[in-house]
Amino acid sequence: MERSAGAGGGGGDSRPVLHGTAAAALLAAVILLYFAPVLAGRIALPFDMLYHIDPAFRGVPGAPPTPEPLNVVSGWDRVYQFHPWFLHNVRSLRRGEIPLWNPHAGAGSPHLALDITAVFDPLSTGAGLIVGGERAGTARVVLSALLAALGMLVLMRSRGASAAAGVLAGLSFALGGWFILWLGRPLTSAAAWLPWMLWAATRLARRGRPAGDGALLALFVALSLLAGHIATTAHALLLTGALLACDAVRLRTGPRAITAAAGTGLAFIALGVLAAAIVLLPFLEFLLGEAGGVGIRAGPPQSFGGRLLEGLGGRVSAQAVSGTLLTSLVPVLNFPGTQRFTSPPPSLAEVTIYVGVVPLLLAGYALARSRRAERWFWAAAAVAALALALRLPVFHLVNRLSIVGWTGPDRLRLVWSLSIAVLAGLGLDALAAGRAGARDRAWPLSLLLHVPGAWAAWLLGGADAEALRRGLAGIIAGVIALGAWGLLRPARLRWALVAITGLELTAALHGVQPTLPAAAVFPTPPLVAFLDSAGGGRVAPLPVGAMRPLGGGLTTAYEIDSVEGYNVLHSARLRSLYAAANGDIRWAGAAGRDWLTLDDPSSPLVDLLGVRWLLTAAISDPAVVRGARIPAQFPRLAWTDGHAAAWENPDPMPRAFVVRHTSPAGDDGPARLLSPDFDFRRRALVDRPVALPPAPADAAPARVALRREASGRIAIDVAQEAPGLLVVTESWDPGWRATVDGAAAEVVIADVAFLGVIVPAGRHEVRLRYAPASFRWGILVTLLTAGALIGGALLERARPRGRRPPGDDHP
């Protein structure tokens, strides 16, 4: 039952109001009601934007009308990356394959090693295996919010708070701005495990059975890493480690006991990291190897002195500070004269600190009136996280550490969000305790907090009605809360404020994640139907006067092989080759470093990659066609529906072919390969010497037939009269293994970035299999770590229960 004030600071009314189990059921019901549309069968995905920015989808019968206004960026990566990856994960696993490789993006690319593909995330792939890949992202949305809310309830109860405080903290965190605006992305499914990490850390610090509680902590760390966003998990681990240290100091006496307690917690965190080796080792191998190293994400190098000066001075503007602070009261910034949006502006997910105005008032009250010593820990965590996120002077020194900067300090607002939610719960319990004069002394602070709210309302004066409603929701809720604060008795006030908070967050942020009927999400557009009927072949989307059709990861969703890729990491070899091919173009894409594009349709790389179809918007002006360099390789317009078009390369190179001459690649390999005087049909650039005997002058060309047996498995039949080097234009990676007639064969790097295998004269079967050693080692480390954690917990349970550590139950 809910504890009385004396037992856990739960309030002045000792009568139980709600059991913990009933509180969990209530909280779950609120979360599920919040997502009622998806429970009724709709898909939580902003897919409708594609009907208006992608020419391929404008021809879909029954396309929805253009939303006005349209915010493209808010759902960009969910549509172009995550949903296609969910589909690939589920389809592969249902075929009995582990999706280590994606053959449909960027001439093939590692998949598991991208770290945000969430191959083993139970909230997306696991749920997708049950409900289908089409609903995997939707399952992740609901389960992440539900898990985060219940985790906050369990955390608050474990630290002595009331059930009402736990429900309020769960609503504030799971339905607050940071969480709701990032939903559907791996950030939230990684962050959903943070309250559970903190709960396990609390148990570990206060109970006498470290193996069992430590195993729980390790489990939640591993699940957060499997969710697919290492940077978010790193932020979660920072807060968890700080809480472990704080509790060690609070509950232990003497330096040795404190060090031992903190060290035990950190050791179990490390074991949790090892338990996720199945994804971490492939990621690290690719990042540090073929992707080019940590520097690919860390930005340009900087001297120690430069980093020190920037850290001391910070990197912040008054506008950034005021804009962020404003989001504590107004979840949607929609100022007069700026672009209007149906959902929050694209930067809002990065800057928002909105957890509700009522929880913010209660957090301030906790600092002023609560007797709980731990309130200062949560306040310090919130302030430090926000200072780091805003890159304030001196604080920014921490961000200049490579390992911190790499994780993206902007998103430390996660720590602010959770810490303020905890403080709000503590404030609710302090208020409900009904100490004399507390309500009267809270009025000035509450009114002072609403001064910025009035400013926000003035700024929102020129906004559309929807943004105004969202912007004022928290302010109105705060006013209502103040009225209840002064009129209701503490026992009733507690649940009244919980209800007001739920209504506030629903009014402020509900609906910012659009839902669509299932039939409207990834239908088969006419362009895809044409490509299927035409017998396939690699495609290259090109932006000419409009967005590129089937760009990014959309081809993965339709299992179409594209030379374009929208990943977080790409092979450095492939990047260098594309850079050489795109060196002199007029129609360059503007997608940034994550988007690997081939933007010059006249480049020789188009032929080498065997691109059969160039996909563009429909073009009626011949001058535009010539200016885009389309006719050089794609002279024939093979199909158009008036919105999108497919131009055909009449003689594309096959995916696999044999050459009988080789040359060393050298440092200038990309430029040499694409120069007009290099014939890659007869000669290949290789990374090491390849001895090929001279072929007879009258030798017939080799006959090569390729068939893809699985995502990372290729079988090739070769018949030739002389030895040669089989070149397969699949992106090279050290994880590729080859056999010739069942005997192991060496895989060389051919033509800068592709696969090469020496094949003797005669008829042979060549098999290529993507099987990185890092994945095998990852499986082994994960299984050994899991076994050690389970074994330790079972042994501990078999022993007599030890004494509880010294110290009180609740700081």
Side-chain angles (χ1 to χ4, degrees), residues 383-416:
V383 170
L386 192 58
L388 290 170
L390 290 174
R391 295 178 168 85
L392 296 184
V394 181
F395 283 94
H396 192 48
L397 276 171
V398 178
N399 296 336
R400 302 310 296 144
L401 297 173
S402 296
I403 192 169
V404 176
W406 184 82
T407 65
D410 287 348
R411 294 167 185 171
L412 274 165
R413 289 169 174 81
L414 161 67
V415 175
W416 161 277

PDB file of all heavy atoms in Angstrom, residues 383-416:
ATOM      1  N   VAL A 383      20.782  20.624 -13.431  1.00  0.00           N
ATOM      2  CA  VAL A 383      21.495  21.855 -13.788  1.00  0.00           C
ATOM      3  C   VAL A 383      22.747  21.540 -14.605  1.00  0.00           C
ATOM      4  O   VAL A 383      23.028  22.189 -15.619  1.00  0.00           O
ATOM      5  CB  VAL A 383      21.846  22.655 -12.517  1.00  0.00           C
ATOM      6  CG1 VAL A 383      22.796  23.805 -12.855  1.00  0.00           C
ATOM      7  CG2 VAL A 383      20.579  23.177 -11.860  1.00  0.00           C
ATOM      8  N   ALA A 384      23.506  20.535 -14.164  1.00  0.00           N
ATOM      9  CA  ALA A 384      24.735  20.184 -14.885  1.00  0.00           C
ATOM     10  C   ALA A 384      24.416  19.700 -16.295  1.00  0.00           C
ATOM     11  O   ALA A 384      25.089  20.076 -17.262  1.00  0.00           O
ATOM     12  CB  ALA A 384      25.501  19.108 -14.115  1.00  0.00           C
ATOM     13  N   ALA A 385      23.377  18.882 -16.444  1.00  0.00           N
ATOM     14  CA  ALA A 385      23.013  18.377 -17.770  1.00  0.00           C
ATOM     15  C   ALA A 385      22.612  19.520 -18.688  1.00  0.00           C
ATOM     16  O   ALA A 385      23.007  19.562 -19.861  1.00  0.00           O
ATOM     17  CB  ALA A 385      21.870  17.364 -17.649  1.00  0.00           C
ATOM     18  N   LEU A 386      21.817  20.455 -18.163  1.00  0.00           N
ATOM     19  CA  LEU A 386      21.382  21.570 -18.999  1.00  0.00           C
ATOM     20  C   LEU A 386      22.552  22.486 -19.345  1.00  0.00           C
ATOM     21  O   LEU A 386      22.648  22.982 -20.481  1.00  0.00           O
ATOM     22  CB  LEU A 386      20.289  22.356 -18.279  1.00  0.00           C
ATOM     23  CG  LEU A 386      19.528  23.373 -19.130  1.00  0.00           C
ATOM     24  CD1 LEU A 386      18.879  22.702 -20.329  1.00  0.00           C
ATOM     25  CD2 LEU A 386      18.481  24.093 -18.294  1.00  0.00           C
ATOM     26  N   ALA A 387      23.449  22.701 -18.383  1.00  0.00           N
ATOM     27  CA  ALA A 387      24.615  23.546 -18.660  1.00  0.00           C
ATOM     28  C   ALA A 387      25.509  22.926 -19.731  1.00  0.00           C
ATOM     29  O   ALA A 387      26.036  23.619 -20.611  1.00  0.00           O
ATOM     30  CB  ALA A 387      25.407  23.768 -17.370  1.00  0.00           C
ATOM     31  N   LEU A 388      25.679  21.614 -19.677  1.00  0.00           N
ATOM     32  CA  LEU A 388      26.473  20.933 -20.705  1.00  0.00           C
ATOM     33  C   LEU A 388      25.760  20.965 -22.050  1.00  0.00           C
ATOM     34  O   LEU A 388      26.388  21.165 -23.094  1.00  0.00           O
ATOM     35  CB  LEU A 388      26.737  19.487 -20.281  1.00  0.00           C
ATOM     36  CG  LEU A 388      27.695  19.292 -19.097  1.00  0.00           C
ATOM     37  CD1 LEU A 388      27.661  17.847 -18.629  1.00  0.00           C
ATOM     38  CD2 LEU A 388      29.105  19.689 -19.483  1.00  0.00           C
ATOM     39  N   ALA A 389      24.451  20.768 -22.037  1.00  0.00           N
ATOM     40  CA  ALA A 389      23.688  20.780 -23.287  1.00  0.00           C
ATOM     41  C   ALA A 389      23.727  22.151 -23.942  1.00  0.00           C
ATOM     42  O   ALA A 389      23.776  22.260 -25.172  1.00  0.00           O
ATOM     43  CB  ALA A 389      22.243  20.363 -23.019  1.00  0.00           C
ATOM     44  N   LEU A 390      23.722  23.212 -23.125  1.00  0.00           N
ATOM     45  CA  LEU A 390      23.762  24.573 -23.664  1.00  0.00           C
ATOM     46  C   LEU A 390      25.178  25.042 -23.962  1.00  0.00           C
ATOM     47  O   LEU A 390      25.358  26.151 -24.465  1.00  0.00           O
ATOM     48  CB  LEU A 390      23.098  25.528 -22.671  1.00  0.00           C
ATOM     49  CG  LEU A 390      21.578  25.400 -22.522  1.00  0.00           C
ATOM     50  CD1 LEU A 390      21.068  26.282 -21.404  1.00  0.00           C
ATOM     51  CD2 LEU A 390      20.888  25.728 -23.825  1.00  0.00           C
ATOM     52  N   ARG A 391      26.170  24.220 -23.626  1.00  0.00           N
ATOM     53  CA  ARG A 391      27.581  24.555 -23.866  1.00  0.00           C
ATOM     54  C   ARG A 391      27.972  25.858 -23.149  1.00  0.00           C
ATOM     55  O   ARG A 391      28.635  26.730 -23.718  1.00  0.00           O
ATOM     56  CB  ARG A 391      27.867  24.673 -25.358  1.00  0.00           C
ATOM     57  CG  ARG A 391      27.706  23.373 -26.119  1.00  0.00           C
ATOM     58  CD  ARG A 391      27.954  23.578 -27.605  1.00  0.00           C
ATOM     59  NE  ARG A 391      28.092  22.320 -28.315  1.00  0.00           N
ATOM     60  CZ  ARG A 391      27.076  21.607 -28.790  1.00  0.00           C
ATOM     61  NH1 ARG A 391      25.847  22.052 -28.613  1.00  0.00           N
ATOM     62  NH2 ARG A 391      27.275  20.473 -29.432  1.00  0.00           N
ATOM     63  N   LEU A 392      27.556  25.983 -21.891  1.00  0.00           N
ATOM     64  CA  LEU A 392      27.881  27.169 -21.119  1.00  0.00           C
ATOM     65  C   LEU A 392      29.370  27.218 -20.812  1.00  0.00           C
ATOM     66  O   LEU A 392      30.049  26.186 -20.775  1.00  0.00           O
ATOM     67  CB  LEU A 392      27.074  27.178 -19.819  1.00  0.00           C
ATOM     68  CG  LEU A 392      25.546  27.278 -19.955  1.00  0.00           C
ATOM     69  CD1 LEU A 392      24.904  27.363 -18.574  1.00  0.00           C
ATOM     70  CD2 LEU A 392      25.149  28.466 -20.812  1.00  0.00           C
ATOM     71  N   PRO A 393      29.918  28.425 -20.588  1.00  0.00           N
ATOM     72  CA  PRO A 393      31.346  28.541 -20.260  1.00  0.00           C
ATOM     73  C   PRO A 393      31.731  27.652 -19.082  1.00  0.00           C
ATOM     74  O   PRO A 393      30.940  27.425 -18.167  1.00  0.00           O
ATOM     75  CB  PRO A 393      31.497  30.034 -19.927  1.00  0.00           C
ATOM     76  CG  PRO A 393      30.405  30.702 -20.698  1.00  0.00           C
ATOM     77  CD  PRO A 393      29.258  29.732 -20.680  1.00  0.00           C
ATOM     78  N   VAL A 394      32.933  27.157 -19.108  1.00  0.00           N
ATOM     79  CA  VAL A 394      33.526  26.252 -18.122  1.00  0.00           C
ATOM     80  C   VAL A 394      32.898  24.859 -18.215  1.00  0.00           C
ATOM     81  O   VAL A 394      33.609  23.858 -18.352  1.00  0.00           O
ATOM     82  CB  VAL A 394      33.425  26.801 -16.679  1.00  0.00           C
ATOM     83  CG1 VAL A 394      34.083  25.841 -15.695  1.00  0.00           C
ATOM     84  CG2 VAL A 394      34.067  28.176 -16.594  1.00  0.00           C
ATOM     85  N   PHE A 395      31.579  24.762 -18.154  1.00  0.00           N
ATOM     86  CA  PHE A 395      30.929  23.455 -18.328  1.00  0.00           C
ATOM     87  C   PHE A 395      31.315  22.836 -19.671  1.00  0.00           C
ATOM     88  O   PHE A 395      31.445  21.613 -19.782  1.00  0.00           O
ATOM     89  CB  PHE A 395      29.398  23.610 -18.255  1.00  0.00           C
ATOM     90  CG  PHE A 395      28.860  23.768 -16.871  1.00  0.00           C
ATOM     91  CD1 PHE A 395      28.647  25.026 -16.344  1.00  0.00           C
ATOM     92  CD2 PHE A 395      28.578  22.654 -16.085  1.00  0.00           C
ATOM     93  CE1 PHE A 395      28.151  25.179 -15.062  1.00  0.00           C
ATOM     94  CE2 PHE A 395      28.084  22.790 -14.806  1.00  0.00           C
ATOM     95  CZ  PHE A 395      27.865  24.059 -14.282  1.00  0.00           C
ATOM     96  N   HIS A 396      31.489  23.680 -20.652  1.00  0.00           N
ATOM     97  CA  HIS A 396      31.793  23.177 -22.000  1.00  0.00           C
ATOM     98  C   HIS A 396      33.157  22.490 -22.049  1.00  0.00           C
ATOM     99  O   HIS A 396      33.455  21.769 -23.008  1.00  0.00           O
ATOM    100  CB  HIS A 396      31.740  24.322 -23.006  1.00  0.00           C
ATOM    101  CG  HIS A 396      31.747  23.889 -24.430  1.00  0.00           C
ATOM    102  ND1 HIS A 396      30.917  22.892 -24.906  1.00  0.00           N
ATOM    103  CD2 HIS A 396      32.500  24.289 -25.494  1.00  0.00           C
ATOM    104  CE1 HIS A 396      31.146  22.714 -26.202  1.00  0.00           C
ATOM    105  NE2 HIS A 396      32.103  23.548 -26.577  1.00  0.00           N
ATOM    106  N   LEU A 397      33.984  22.690 -21.020  1.00  0.00           N
ATOM    107  CA  LEU A 397      35.256  21.954 -20.950  1.00  0.00           C
ATOM    108  C   LEU A 397      35.014  20.449 -20.984  1.00  0.00           C
ATOM    109  O   LEU A 397      35.774  19.696 -21.595  1.00  0.00           O
ATOM    110  CB  LEU A 397      36.014  22.333 -19.673  1.00  0.00           C
ATOM    111  CG  LEU A 397      36.868  23.601 -19.703  1.00  0.00           C
ATOM    112  CD1 LEU A 397      37.359  23.923 -18.298  1.00  0.00           C
ATOM    113  CD2 LEU A 397      38.034  23.435 -20.669  1.00  0.00           C
ATOM    114  N   VAL A 398      33.971  20.014 -20.298  1.00  0.00           N
ATOM    115  CA  VAL A 398      33.652  18.580 -20.267  1.00  0.00           C
ATOM    116  C   VAL A 398      33.280  18.104 -21.670  1.00  0.00           C
ATOM    117  O   VAL A 398      33.679  17.026 -22.110  1.00  0.00           O
ATOM    118  CB  VAL A 398      32.514  18.298 -19.272  1.00  0.00           C
ATOM    119  CG1 VAL A 398      32.150  16.822 -19.269  1.00  0.00           C
ATOM    120  CG2 VAL A 398      32.916  18.754 -17.877  1.00  0.00           C
ATOM    121  N   ASN A 399      32.524  18.931 -22.395  1.00  0.00           N
ATOM    122  CA  ASN A 399      32.124  18.544 -23.747  1.00  0.00           C
ATOM    123  C   ASN A 399      33.309  18.413 -24.690  1.00  0.00           C
ATOM    124  O   ASN A 399      33.236  17.683 -25.687  1.00  0.00           O
ATOM    125  CB  ASN A 399      31.153  19.584 -24.328  1.00  0.00           C
ATOM    126  CG  ASN A 399      29.856  19.659 -23.567  1.00  0.00           C
ATOM    127  OD1 ASN A 399      29.466  18.703 -22.907  1.00  0.00           O
ATOM    128  ND2 ASN A 399      29.180  20.794 -23.637  1.00  0.00           N
ATOM    129  N   ARG A 400      34.382  19.112 -24.399  1.00  0.00           N
ATOM    130  CA  ARG A 400      35.539  19.071 -25.285  1.00  0.00           C
ATOM    131  C   ARG A 400      36.356  17.801 -25.106  1.00  0.00           C
ATOM    132  O   ARG A 400      37.275  17.546 -25.882  1.00  0.00           O
ATOM    133  CB  ARG A 400      36.443  20.301 -25.078  1.00  0.00           C
ATOM    134  CG  ARG A 400      35.757  21.632 -25.300  1.00  0.00           C
ATOM    135  CD  ARG A 400      35.003  21.650 -26.626  1.00  0.00           C
ATOM    136  NE  ARG A 400      35.888  21.520 -27.757  1.00  0.00           N
ATOM    137  CZ  ARG A 400      35.604  20.857 -28.864  1.00  0.00           C
ATOM    138  NH1 ARG A 400      34.442  20.224 -28.976  1.00  0.00           N
ATOM    139  NH2 ARG A 400      36.475  20.793 -29.852  1.00  0.00           N
ATOM    140  N   LEU A 401      36.037  17.006 -24.082  1.00  0.00           N
ATOM    141  CA  LEU A 401      36.628  15.674 -23.992  1.00  0.00           C
ATOM    142  C   LEU A 401      36.067  14.832 -25.133  1.00  0.00           C
ATOM    143  O   LEU A 401      34.854  14.800 -25.363  1.00  0.00           O
ATOM    144  CB  LEU A 401      36.295  15.024 -22.648  1.00  0.00           C
ATOM    145  CG  LEU A 401      36.835  15.728 -21.393  1.00  0.00           C
ATOM    146  CD1 LEU A 401      36.287  15.057 -20.147  1.00  0.00           C
ATOM    147  CD2 LEU A 401      38.351  15.718 -21.382  1.00  0.00           C
ATOM    148  N   SER A 402      36.929  14.153 -25.851  1.00  0.00           N
ATOM    149  CA  SER A 402      36.498  13.455 -27.065  1.00  0.00           C
ATOM    150  C   SER A 402      35.349  12.496 -26.794  1.00  0.00           C
ATOM    151  O   SER A 402      34.369  12.446 -27.543  1.00  0.00           O
ATOM    152  CB  SER A 402      37.683  12.702 -27.682  1.00  0.00           C
ATOM    153  OG  SER A 402      38.672  13.604 -28.095  1.00  0.00           O
ATOM    154  N   ILE A 403      35.442  11.731 -25.712  1.00  0.00           N
ATOM    155  CA  ILE A 403      34.443  10.697 -25.461  1.00  0.00           C
ATOM    156  C   ILE A 403      33.088  11.314 -25.127  1.00  0.00           C
ATOM    157  O   ILE A 403      32.040  10.731 -25.402  1.00  0.00           O
ATOM    158  CB  ILE A 403      34.913   9.750 -24.331  1.00  0.00           C
ATOM    159  CG1 ILE A 403      34.006   8.516 -24.276  1.00  0.00           C
ATOM    160  CG2 ILE A 403      34.945  10.475 -22.997  1.00  0.00           C
ATOM    161  CD1 ILE A 403      34.543   7.435 -23.387  1.00  0.00           C
ATOM    162  N   VAL A 404      33.076  12.528 -24.541  1.00  0.00           N
ATOM    163  CA  VAL A 404      31.813  13.188 -24.214  1.00  0.00           C
ATOM    164  C   VAL A 404      31.249  13.876 -25.453  1.00  0.00           C
ATOM    165  O   VAL A 404      30.073  13.754 -25.776  1.00  0.00           O
ATOM    166  CB  VAL A 404      32.001  14.195 -23.068  1.00  0.00           C
ATOM    167  CG1 VAL A 404      30.710  14.943 -22.799  1.00  0.00           C
ATOM    168  CG2 VAL A 404      32.479  13.483 -21.820  1.00  0.00           C
ATOM    169  N   GLY A 405      32.114  14.604 -26.164  1.00  0.00           N
ATOM    170  CA  GLY A 405      31.656  15.282 -27.363  1.00  0.00           C
ATOM    171  C   GLY A 405      31.096  14.333 -28.394  1.00  0.00           C
ATOM    172  O   GLY A 405      30.151  14.665 -29.115  1.00  0.00           O
ATOM    173  N   TRP A 406      31.653  13.150 -28.462  1.00  0.00           N
ATOM    174  CA  TRP A 406      31.194  12.164 -29.440  1.00  0.00           C
ATOM    175  C   TRP A 406      29.757  11.719 -29.170  1.00  0.00           C
ATOM    176  O   TRP A 406      29.037  11.348 -30.083  1.00  0.00           O
ATOM    177  CB  TRP A 406      32.131  10.961 -29.399  1.00  0.00           C
ATOM    178  CG  TRP A 406      31.838   9.919 -30.420  1.00  0.00           C
ATOM    179  CD1 TRP A 406      32.213   9.914 -31.731  1.00  0.00           C
ATOM    180  CD2 TRP A 406      31.102   8.714 -30.212  1.00  0.00           C
ATOM    181  NE1 TRP A 406      31.757   8.791 -32.352  1.00  0.00           N
ATOM    182  CE2 TRP A 406      31.068   8.027 -31.451  1.00  0.00           C
ATOM    183  CE3 TRP A 406      30.467   8.143 -29.119  1.00  0.00           C
ATOM    184  CZ2 TRP A 406      30.432   6.810 -31.599  1.00  0.00           C
ATOM    185  CZ3 TRP A 406      29.830   6.936 -29.275  1.00  0.00           C
ATOM    186  CH2 TRP A 406      29.813   6.272 -30.507  1.00  0.00           C
ATOM    187  N   THR A 407      29.310  11.788 -27.910  1.00  0.00           N
ATOM    188  CA  THR A 407      27.964  11.308 -27.577  1.00  0.00           C
ATOM    189  C   THR A 407      26.887  12.356 -27.822  1.00  0.00           C
ATOM    190  O   THR A 407      25.717  12.063 -27.632  1.00  0.00           O
ATOM    191  CB  THR A 407      27.890  10.873 -26.105  1.00  0.00           C
ATOM    192  OG1 THR A 407      28.092  12.008 -25.261  1.00  0.00           O
ATOM    193  CG2 THR A 407      28.923   9.809 -25.790  1.00  0.00           C
ATOM    194  N   GLY A 408      27.268  13.578 -28.221  1.00  0.00           N
ATOM    195  CA  GLY A 408      26.250  14.590 -28.498  1.00  0.00           C
ATOM    196  C   GLY A 408      25.686  15.204 -27.236  1.00  0.00           C
ATOM    197  O   GLY A 408      24.583  14.840 -26.804  1.00  0.00           O
ATOM    198  N   PRO A 409      26.386  16.158 -26.599  1.00  0.00           N
ATOM    199  CA  PRO A 409      25.909  16.739 -25.330  1.00  0.00           C
ATOM    200  C   PRO A 409      24.544  17.397 -25.443  1.00  0.00           C
ATOM    201  O   PRO A 409      23.850  17.540 -24.435  1.00  0.00           O
ATOM    202  CB  PRO A 409      26.995  17.781 -25.000  1.00  0.00           C
ATOM    203  CG  PRO A 409      28.207  17.338 -25.760  1.00  0.00           C
ATOM    204  CD  PRO A 409      27.700  16.690 -27.005  1.00  0.00           C
ATOM    205  N   ASP A 410      24.123  17.821 -26.638  1.00  0.00           N
ATOM    206  CA  ASP A 410      22.806  18.445 -26.789  1.00  0.00           C
ATOM    207  C   ASP A 410      21.706  17.575 -26.179  1.00  0.00           C
ATOM    208  O   ASP A 410      20.725  18.084 -25.630  1.00  0.00           O
ATOM    209  CB  ASP A 410      22.483  18.669 -28.265  1.00  0.00           C
ATOM    210  CG  ASP A 410      23.287  19.808 -28.866  1.00  0.00           C
ATOM    211  OD1 ASP A 410      23.906  20.542 -28.079  1.00  0.00           O
ATOM    212  OD2 ASP A 410      23.306  19.953 -30.098  1.00  0.00           O
ATOM    213  N   ARG A 411      21.886  16.270 -26.287  1.00  0.00           N
ATOM    214  CA  ARG A 411      20.827  15.361 -25.867  1.00  0.00           C
ATOM    215  C   ARG A 411      20.898  15.001 -24.383  1.00  0.00           C
ATOM    216  O   ARG A 411      20.137  14.165 -23.920  1.00  0.00           O
ATOM    217  CB  ARG A 411      20.868  14.111 -26.739  1.00  0.00           C
ATOM    218  CG  ARG A 411      20.519  14.450 -28.171  1.00  0.00           C
ATOM    219  CD  ARG A 411      20.836  13.358 -29.139  1.00  0.00           C
ATOM    220  NE  ARG A 411      20.580  13.799 -30.513  1.00  0.00           N
ATOM    221  CZ  ARG A 411      20.930  13.117 -31.588  1.00  0.00           C
ATOM    222  NH1 ARG A 411      21.558  11.960 -31.463  1.00  0.00           N
ATOM    223  NH2 ARG A 411      20.687  13.570 -32.787  1.00  0.00           N
ATOM    224  N   LEU A 412      21.800  15.669 -23.652  1.00  0.00           N
ATOM    225  CA  LEU A 412      21.799  15.509 -22.193  1.00  0.00           C
ATOM    226  C   LEU A 412      20.540  16.097 -21.569  1.00  0.00           C
ATOM    227  O   LEU A 412      20.318  15.958 -20.363  1.00  0.00           O
ATOM    228  CB  LEU A 412      23.042  16.165 -21.591  1.00  0.00           C
ATOM    229  CG  LEU A 412      24.289  15.276 -21.566  1.00  0.00           C
ATOM    230  CD1 LEU A 412      25.534  16.095 -21.297  1.00  0.00           C
ATOM    231  CD2 LEU A 412      24.138  14.178 -20.521  1.00  0.00           C
ATOM    232  N   ARG A 413      19.710  16.732 -22.379  1.00  0.00           N
ATOM    233  CA  ARG A 413      18.417  17.172 -21.873  1.00  0.00           C
ATOM    234  C   ARG A 413      17.596  15.991 -21.369  1.00  0.00           C
ATOM    235  O   ARG A 413      16.645  16.177 -20.615  1.00  0.00           O
ATOM    236  CB  ARG A 413      17.673  17.922 -22.973  1.00  0.00           C
ATOM    237  CG  ARG A 413      18.271  19.298 -23.280  1.00  0.00           C
ATOM    238  CD  ARG A 413      17.668  19.883 -24.543  1.00  0.00           C
ATOM    239  NE  ARG A 413      18.106  21.239 -24.784  1.00  0.00           N
ATOM    240  CZ  ARG A 413      19.262  21.586 -25.343  1.00  0.00           C
ATOM    241  NH1 ARG A 413      20.108  20.645 -25.719  1.00  0.00           N
ATOM    242  NH2 ARG A 413      19.587  22.847 -25.535  1.00  0.00           N
ATOM    243  N   LEU A 414      17.953  14.794 -21.792  1.00  0.00           N
ATOM    244  CA  LEU A 414      17.340  13.591 -21.223  1.00  0.00           C
ATOM    245  C   LEU A 414      17.512  13.577 -19.711  1.00  0.00           C
ATOM    246  O   LEU A 414      16.575  13.276 -18.956  1.00  0.00           O
ATOM    247  CB  LEU A 414      17.976  12.345 -21.840  1.00  0.00           C
ATOM    248  CG  LEU A 414      17.802  11.025 -21.083  1.00  0.00           C
ATOM    249  CD1 LEU A 414      16.342  10.605 -21.088  1.00  0.00           C
ATOM    250  CD2 LEU A 414      18.681   9.940 -21.671  1.00  0.00           C
ATOM    251  N   VAL A 415      18.721  13.878 -19.237  1.00  0.00           N
ATOM    252  CA  VAL A 415      19.001  13.861 -17.798  1.00  0.00           C
ATOM    253  C   VAL A 415      18.208  14.960 -17.096  1.00  0.00           C
ATOM    254  O   VAL A 415      17.680  14.767 -16.000  1.00  0.00           O
ATOM    255  CB  VAL A 415      20.514  14.009 -17.553  1.00  0.00           C
ATOM    256  CG1 VAL A 415      20.819  14.115 -16.064  1.00  0.00           C
ATOM    257  CG2 VAL A 415      21.270  12.819 -18.165  1.00  0.00           C
ATOM    258  N   TRP A 416      18.111  16.122 -17.727  1.00  0.00           N
ATOM    259  CA  TRP A 416      17.267  17.186 -17.163  1.00  0.00           C
ATOM    260  C   TRP A 416      15.836  16.696 -17.014  1.00  0.00           C
ATOM    261  O   TRP A 416      15.214  16.852 -15.974  1.00  0.00           O
ATOM    262  CB  TRP A 416      17.317  18.422 -18.062  1.00  0.00           C
ATOM    263  CG  TRP A 416      16.183  19.385 -17.837  1.00  0.00           C
ATOM    264  CD1 TRP A 416      14.928  19.305 -18.382  1.00  0.00           C
ATOM    265  CD2 TRP A 416      16.183  20.533 -16.990  1.00  0.00           C
ATOM    266  NE1 TRP A 416      14.141  20.348 -17.940  1.00  0.00           N
ATOM    267  CE2 TRP A 416      14.885  21.117 -17.077  1.00  0.00           C
ATOM    268  CE3 TRP A 416      17.127  21.139 -16.181  1.00  0.00           C
ATOM    269  CZ2 TRP A 416      14.535  22.266 -16.382  1.00  0.00           C
ATOM    270  CZ3 TRP A 416      16.782  22.292 -15.488  1.00  0.00           C
ATOM    271  CH2 TRP A 416      15.501  22.851 -15.584  1.00  0.00           C
TER     272      TRP A 416
END
